[in-house]
Amino acid sequence: MCGFPTPTDTVTPRQPRGQERVITANRQTSWAFSDAYVAEDEALRWARDRAGEAGLRSVSPGTGAALRLLAASVDAKAVAEIGTGCGVSGIHLLHGMRPDGVLTTVDQEPEHQQSARQAFREAGFAGNRARFIPGPALDVLPRLADSGYDLVFCDGDRQEYQDYLAESLRLLRPGGLVAFEGVFANGRTVDSGPQPTEVLRLRELVRTVRESQELVSSLLPVGDGLLCAVKR
């Protein structure tokens, strides 16, 4: 396991002496409120619809809002995205980036990138704000510039995440940020039962990022889990 509490563990938050823990609302309700906190516009809804028709998963609205915030927090001018999809995450990233920022987005399916290109136009972004590179991520990433990126967002093949991490450390400038989508694996990452290879590799990723001396990390409970780390 990667250090997460299992369903049989008891986790008791530490409280100041003399104070009782106060639960003010259902956690699921709070998460739903958080997910709807940043309203999505027509371009994002269009991109979500295209993704649904193509059978693709899209980042949740809450995850998208977190990506905007992360891009803005590093004043991102250059962002690399692994997994274009139909453009949902890309729109959020572009909204958080500098007005002159460029998103480099990689996907194996050119037709998905065509949908993303249209979604970016619908969202009002000029054509020079995004660079689309078709092909497998592990073939494309080695061609990108060392220390040339402020943020790397990984939403591709979960079994390749460890490889994406190694490439991200090369691509990021000091102070840059890497984020991995879907690390909860619909709750399976913390499930103590037998799990497929994908989940075991996600556990390994979480442990590697947490223990790395090169990274300052946090696991955000938005969407299906967003693992974030800043390169020292």
Side-chain angles (χ1 to χ4, degrees):
M1 290 292 289
C2 60
F4 289 116
T6 67
T8 57
D9 292 334
T10 300
V11 181
T12 304
R14 184 175 298 173
Q15 299 293 321
R17 183 172 297 178
Q19 295 186 18
E20 295 182 358
R21 182 184 180 198
V22 178
I23 300 175
T24 58
N26 180 276
R27 184 174 295 180
Q28 294 289 345
T29 302
S30 298
W31 282 344
F33 177 78
S34 174
D35 216 34
Y37 179 69
V38 175
E40 294 194 329
D41 59 19
E42 185 175 342
L44 276 164
R45 290 192 293 271
W46 183 91
R48 282 194 184 282
D49 288 344
R50 299 294 81 72
E53 291 169 2
L56 300 176
R57 58 182 177 236
S58 297
V59 298
S60 73
T63 301
L67 292 175
R68 290 191 192 202
L69 178 67
L70 294 172
S73 70
V74 295
D75 194 27
K77 184 175 181 180
V79 172
E81 176 186 45
I82 303 168
T84 309
C86 290
V88 175
S89 54
I91 290 175
H92 281 292
L93 288 165
L94 285 164
H95 276 305
M97 296 168 64
R98 291 168 46 168
D100 60 343
V102 175
L103 173 68
T104 297
T105 183
V106 180
D107 200 290
Q108 294 194 73
E109 303 295 340
E111 62 269 26
H112 297 162
Q113 292 191 321
Q114 289 293 359
S115 295
R117 194 187 301 272
Q118 183 174 348
F120 293 173
R121 285 198 300 267
E122 292 293 327
F125 297 110
N128 63 358
R129 293 293 309 280
R131 178 171 62 145
F132 296 89
I133 305 179
L138 295 181
D139 291 344
V140 174
L141 295 177
R143 309 202 307 259
L144 304 183
D146 292 4
S147 304
Y149 292 85
D150 305 298
L151 190 154
V152 178
F153 174 56
C154 305
D155 190 18
D157 186 339
R158 305 293 193 256
Q159 298 197 56
E160 296 181 346
Y161 270 12
Q162 283 279 10
D163 298 310
Y164 298 167
L165 174 61
E167 287 293 332
S168 297
L169 290 173
R170 180 185 61 80
L171 294 173
L172 288 171
R173 63 166 173 80
L177 191 150
V178 62
F180 295 88
E181 161 64 3
V183 295
F184 288 167
N186 294 315
R188 292 177 298 166
T189 303
V190 298
D191 192 325
S192 60
Q195 298 298 336
T197 301
E198 175 183 306
V199 174
L200 299 180
R201 291 186 177 176
L202 285 173
R203 290 175 179 173
E204 182 182 356
L205 171 77
V206 172
R207 181 171 57 248
T208 299
V209 170
R210 182 184 61 196
E211 296 175 357
S212 172
Q213 297 302 306
E214 293 184 76
L215 299 168
V216 179
S217 62
S218 181
L219 181 51
L220 305 183
V222 293
D224 196 24
L226 188 67
L227 178 62
C228 306
V230 173
K231 180 181 176 180
R232 292 184 184 274

